[in-house]
């Protein structure tokens, strides 16, 4: 169900800042242009989204002090709640992913990861388990406590990784059979004060890249799926030397062929282009270009791998870029108004 439909985009946004909630948009396959079709504000602050494998259901976190998650039917042009939002037993959920028959949420304010069972009809059951992180970092304002910012399944389907800005680490967990409870397995320590935010895997399944929010860098890691171990190797800058002002990297994505990597940075309002060598372990900053707006909270590669979409939260737009296949450099191709945009996903 859904696989025979045209690809569509789904835009998350902060309703508390004037966003429309979850917006469905048509995608022009020739130009990449988005055309809004309908939206729903039934869930407050759906800041991050993930579609089901068949593209019929969209899951969202409600980023609030009493965090929630919800499932939407997206077979029509207007998202429709399948059931009432479900509490995640955590504060400020910022990210989510589907794995092992469960929806996992990263709860930033409470520094935890929650597992909610996905029922056969796609609705969410009550929280089955919560894993609370422990630790802190050297930044007195941002790292007094754990802050889980992302939870993501690895390419092998065996592991769940949670990226914690507050503890400068990435935890690797294995979902328990049945309950989905994330059982701690290993923890990768990143440079103190770097503030890791989001992680993306290389298509070879053996490398991962962690974009750091408190430093203008990307941490290169080797990933051992057999052992469930993430090994940091070094860092690469995502802005030019000497760049000043507010610099808060937000997201990174990797090209389908593994030749390039892109990173969005808020304040600097840029998209970095990094070339990857054959090993995947030596990113080189090629250039940065404007994100087309202000405060790019999210960056997404479309299914074809030919375009990037930046969700510019504070300027209230989603801007798309055509990628030069030889250089990896994105060129602005268009934009749509999207108040308080926080992410774009495709399904």
């Amino acid at each position: 169900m859904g696989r025979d439909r045209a690809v569509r985009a789904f835009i998350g946004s902060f309703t508390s800042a004037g966003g429309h909630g979850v917006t469905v948009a048509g995608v022009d396959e020739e130009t990449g242009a988005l055309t809004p079709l309908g939206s729903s504000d039934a869930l407050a602050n759906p800041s991050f989204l993930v579609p089901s494998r068949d593209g019929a259901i969209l899951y969202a976190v409600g980023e609030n002090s009493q965090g929630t998650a919800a499932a939407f039917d997206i077979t029509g042009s207007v998202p429709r709640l399948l059931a009432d939002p479900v509490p995640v037993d955590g504060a400020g959920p910022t990210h989510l992913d589907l794995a092992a028959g469960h929806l996992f949420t990263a709860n930033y304010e409470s520094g935890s990861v929650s597992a909610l069972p996905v029922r056969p009809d796609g609705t969410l059951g009550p929280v089955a388990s919560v894993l609370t992180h422990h630790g802190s970092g050297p930044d007195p304002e941002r790292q007094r406590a754990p802050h889980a910012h992302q939870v993501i399944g690895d390419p092998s389907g065996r592991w769940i990784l949670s990226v914690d800005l507050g503890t400068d680490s990435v935890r690797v967990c294995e979902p328990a059979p049945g309950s989905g409870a994330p059982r701690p397995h290993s923890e990768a320590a990143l440079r103190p004060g770097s503030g890791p935010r989001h992680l993306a895997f290389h298509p070879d399944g053996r490398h991962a890249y962690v974009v750091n929010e408190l430093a203008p860098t990307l941490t290169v890691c080797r990933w051992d799926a057999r052992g469930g171990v993430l090994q940091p190797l070094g860092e690469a800058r995502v802005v030019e030397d000497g760049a000043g002002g507010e610099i808060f990297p937000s997201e990174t994505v990797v090209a389908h062929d593994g030749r390039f990597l892109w990173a969005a940075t808020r304040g600097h309002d840029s998209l970095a282009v990094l070339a990857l060598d054959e090993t995947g372990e030596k990113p080189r900053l090629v250039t940065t270009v404007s994100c087309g707006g202000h405060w790019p909270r999210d960056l997404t590669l479309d299914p074809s791998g030919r375009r990037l979409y930046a969700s510019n939260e504070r300027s209230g737009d989603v801007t798309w870029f055509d990628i030069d296949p030889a250089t990896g450099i994105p060129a602005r191709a268009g934009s749509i108004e999207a108040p308080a945009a926080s992410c774009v996903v495709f399904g």
Side-chain angles (χ1 to χ4, degrees), residues 4-336:
D4 57 345
R5 295 197 308 269
V7 171
R8 296 188 297 171
F10 303 92
I11 303 168
S13 63
F14 289 97
T15 55
S16 60
H20 301 315
V22 177
T23 297
V24 180
V27 182
D28 186 310
E29 294 185 12
E30 293 298 321
T31 67
L34 302 182
T35 302
L37 303 175
S39 62
S40 170
D41 61 1
L43 177 68
N45 294 335
S47 64
F48 213 87
L49 316 170
V50 63
S52 62
R53 186 178 297 273
D54 65 5
I57 299 173
L58 186 75
Y59 297 93
V61 290
E63 189 174 334
N64 303 288
S65 57
Q66 295 181 337
T68 57
F72 289 86
D73 179 334
I74 51 171
T75 56
S77 59
V78 176
R80 179 180 63 84
L81 274 179
L82 287 176
D84 290 339
V86 178
V88 300
D89 294 353
T94 58
H95 197 269
L96 74 171
D97 203 3
L98 292 162
H102 288 73
L103 182 76
F104 293 87
T105 69
N107 310 314
Y108 181 83
E109 293 296 338
S110 55
S112 61
V113 172
S114 301
L116 294 82
V118 177
R119 294 168 171 156
D121 63 358
T123 60
L124 297 171
V127 169
S129 177
V130 177
L131 173 66
T132 300
H133 293 179
H134 298 282
S136 61
D139 189 313
E141 295 184 2
R142 299 293 307 279
Q143 296 184 310
R144 292 183 180 179
H147 292 299
H149 213 306
Q150 183 198 36
V151 60
I152 183 172
D154 89 306
S156 76
R158 179 180 176 185
W159 308 101
I160 296 292
L161 287 75
S162 56
V163 182
D164 196 303
L165 184 148
T167 63
D168 293 316
S169 63
V170 179
R171 290 167 172 81
V172 179
C173 297
E174 188 171 22
S179 71
R183 301 182 297 192
H185 174 76
S186 66
E187 184 173 357
L190 277 62
R191 179 170 59 84
S194 58
R197 178 182 172 96
H198 275 198
L199 175 153
F201 285 98
H202 190 285
D204 67 7
R206 300 190 302 274
H207 296 87
Y209 309 92
V210 184
V211 68
N212 299 308
E213 180 169 337
L214 304 183
T217 63
L218 185 89
T219 301
V220 181
C221 302
R222 194 171 291 146
W223 170 241
D224 175 8
R226 178 175 296 181
V229 176
L230 188 72
Q231 177 190 2
L233 301 176
E235 295 180 41
R237 289 182 63 84
V238 295
V239 297
E240 295 87 350
D241 290 337
E246 292 184 305
I247 301 177
F248 298 109
S250 60
E251 183 62 288
T252 185
V253 292
V254 185
H256 292 168
D257 62 7
R259 296 172 56 226
F260 300 103
L261 176 151
W262 301 274
T265 299
R266 296 161 296 173
H268 194 253
D269 291 342
S270 64
L271 306 182
V273 184
L274 291 92
L276 294 171
D277 68 347
E278 292 183 358
T279 70
E281 297 181 358
K282 298 179 180 179
R284 175 179 57 86
L285 180 61
V286 175
T287 189
T288 61
V289 301
S290 169
C291 68
H294 181 35
W295 214 253
R297 183 179 177 87
D298 184 53
L299 185 64
T300 309
L301 189 65
D302 79 334
S304 74
R306 295 181 295 152
R307 298 184 183 91
L308 287 167
Y309 291 76
S311 301
N312 297 316
E313 181 184 352
R314 294 187 180 176
S315 55
D317 63 85
V318 171
T319 299
W320 57 92
F321 302 79
D322 293 329
I323 300 169
D324 185 310
T327 66
I329 298 174
R332 185 183 185 279
S335 68
I336 59 167

